[in-house]
Amino acid sequence: MNKLFFALLGMSMVFVSCKSSDGGVKENNGMVQVQNKPLGMWKSMEWKSSDNLKKEGIYYIAEVPADKKTISVSCTNYNRFWISSVNGNGVTDKNVFNGDYYTVKCEGNVLTVSFDANNSEERTFNITIQSGDVFSRLKFVQKGK
């Protein structure tokens, strides 16, 4: 009898404790503030830039002139994010990454990429940005001379 009682009590706790919620996510002036958001319920990251930025499949693609020094890209719906990977490789510093010909910095909701001048062929790198359980992929294509 005791075993049956505890089995029923345990099962009832499972049903009572499983519920859908907003995970404590709050919006402040259109910016998402993350607080334990359940998996799979995150809004996609949205990006804008005064430079040439377009959405193509899973990537936001920025085309950068050969002599361009810096491009800034702003996330319009998350106020904090970090670098998850560059060209598919994990990173140790989540806020700054130094590549062969570029430097990536995250500050607030702005991603800034500084480039060396390109005197050769077109070159490309991919970066994955993360905020909580949401990921976004950006591709930077620097034109050649």
Side-chain angles (χ1 to χ4, degrees), residues 47-117:
W47 300 92
K48 72 175 184 173
S49 177
S50 60
D51 292 288
N52 186 14
L53 182 71
K54 61 184 175 184
K55 176 103 166 101
E56 209 171 278
I58 63 169
Y59 285 98
Y60 279 88
I61 301 172
E63 293 182 359
V64 182
D67 58 351
K68 180 75 173 181
K69 294 292 183 192
T70 302
I71 182 172
S72 293
V73 183
S74 300
C75 183
T76 61
N77 62 334
Y78 286 88
N79 59 1
R80 186 175 50 126
F81 53 80
W82 54 92
I83 303 167
S84 178
S85 68
V86 177
N87 290 328
N89 299 311
V91 297
T92 54
D93 185 336
K94 301 288 186 186
N95 296 309
V96 178
F97 182 85
N98 293 303
D100 294 336
Y101 60 91
Y102 57 89
T103 300
V104 181
K105 293 182 182 177
C106 294
E107 294 182 87
N109 71 324
V110 178
L111 180 74
T112 303
V113 183
S114 300
F115 294 88
D116 295 340

Side-chain angles (χ1 to χ4, degrees), residues 19-20 24-28 37 40 47 55 68-69 71 74 77 88 91 103 112 124 128 137-138:
K19 66 176 186 171
S20 178
V25 173
K26 299 181 182 179
E27 290 205 25
N28 181 10
K37 185 80 171 159
W47 300 92
K55 176 103 166 101
K68 180 75 173 181
K69 294 292 183 192
I71 182 172
S74 300
N77 62 334
V91 297
T103 300
T112 303
T124 302
T128 302
R137 292 170 181 84
L138 293 100

